[in-house]
Every structure is written in structure tokens, then in C-alpha cells.
Amino acid sequence: GLLSLRLTGEGRLDPAIEEGRFAEAPYPRPAAPVSVNVGADRAEILSLAAAALSPGVLHITIRLPAGLAAGQHRLVVNIDGTP
């Protein structure tokens, strides 16, 4: 399955955009490496960019890890190694 996330706190973007401005194509991405874990497994990041109509918001789409059991799981987004 796929999961869409929206979050803040992504740090510096590349290319940089002025704070409070709408992102425009090509949509900026975090300059630092990003990873997403669901439970103990790494999720595949399918898309990762500043949200077009929400200044200061990062939009991430992930594919949930194969074989993930039904139920609640901890989801952790790491940016430059920091959860």
C-alpha cells in the first residue's frame, strides 16, 4: 500500500525558496538525506518535495514495506539522520 505524509521541519531545501512562498516546479527537495521507517523496516520513498500549495510543508509518498502485518506501527521520518 501507499501512504501520503505531510510534515514540517525538513530543513534547507534545494533549490532554496523564500520562507512563506509557494513552491513552484521544479519542486524543491530537502538538501539532506531523508528516510522513512515503518516499524523496523525501511519504506520506499516514491516522491519527496515541497508541497505546492502549502508553504513550509514537505510532501512524501511512501510504499509501505512488503509483508507489513495489520495493526499499528511506529512511523519515523529521518532527515539527515535525525528523527
Side-chain angles (χ1 to χ4, degrees):
L2 302 181
L3 185 63
S4 182
L5 311 169
R6 291 188 175 248
L7 55 121
T8 61
E10 68 275 12
R12 192 169 56 84
L13 296 174
D14 185 28
I17 58 174
E18 188 177 320
E19 187 173 329
R21 296 204 38 130
F22 291 117
E24 299 175 357
Y27 296 104
R29 301 170 50 99
V34 177
S35 64
V36 179
N37 285 48
V38 181
D41 298 316
R42 175 85 36 109
E44 177 187 1
I45 296 176
L46 301 176
S47 66
L48 169 70
L53 299 176
S54 300
V57 175
L58 180 66
H59 182 226
I60 304 174
T61 302
I62 64 168
R63 183 181 316 280
L64 295 172
L68 188 66
Q72 295 183 5
H73 299 275
R74 181 180 168 141
L75 185 141
V76 178
V77 176
N78 292 292
I79 300 176
D80 203 18
T82 303

